[in-house]
Structures are given as C-alpha cells and as structure tokens.
C-alpha cells in the first residue's frame, strides 16, 4: 500500500517518475491505467459502488457485475 504522496511500486517499475502523486498520476493514467476521467480512482469512488447495492434504491438489482472504470467504455 502506498500513501497519497508515495509513488506506487508498479509505476516506478515501469519507469514513471515524479516526486508527488500529483506529478505521477497523469503518467499512470496515460500509460498504465487509461481512464476517461483523467485520474486514478479514489477510495470514495469505489465506496459508492460498494454501498449502493445495500441501500433502498437498489431493491431490483441482482445478478450483475458492476464495473467502476471512470467512464471508460469497452473491455
């Protein structure tokens, strides 16, 4: 696990450099994890997908595999 200001090991291994996450993230999105939102998903992005099915608005949802991909379409 890495903190907000630490470079993820995979990015460093792929030659992506920077001193802060704000410098590294655009390269990660462009090279390792393309995403239409232009950023890597944050825990709060995934929290909504995890908690929604447990709420009252999801009474008719069943048998699906949700994808949280920042607007990206396709496989």
């Amino acid at each position: 696990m890495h903190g907000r200001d630490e470079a993820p090991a995979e990015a460093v291994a792929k030659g992506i450099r920077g001193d802060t996450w704000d410098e590294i993230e655009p390269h990660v999105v462009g090279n390792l994890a393309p995403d239409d939102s232009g950023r890597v998903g944050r825990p709060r992005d995934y929290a909504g997908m995890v908690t929604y099915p447990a709420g009252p608005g999801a009474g008719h949802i069943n048998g699906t595999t949700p994808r949280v991909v920042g607007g990206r379409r396709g496989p």
Side-chain angles (χ1 to χ4, degrees):
M1 200 67 175
H2 58 82
R4 173 146 170 82
D5 293 328
E6 296 174 15
E10 183 178 0
V12 172
K14 299 272 185 176
I16 296 173
R17 301 283 189 255
D19 292 325
T20 67
W21 179 246
D22 290 333
E23 293 174 2
I24 295 168
E25 185 175 35
H27 301 290
V28 170
V29 172
N31 299 302
L32 297 177
D35 193 307
D36 290 344
S37 69
R39 63 182 178 81
V40 174
R42 309 291 195 274
R44 68 178 173 268
D45 298 322
Y46 300 98
M49 187 60 240
V50 171
T51 58
Y52 178 77
H60 202 67
I61 294 176
N62 60 63
T64 186
T65 304
R67 294 178 59 204
V68 182
V69 294
R72 183 175 173 206
R73 296 177 187 207

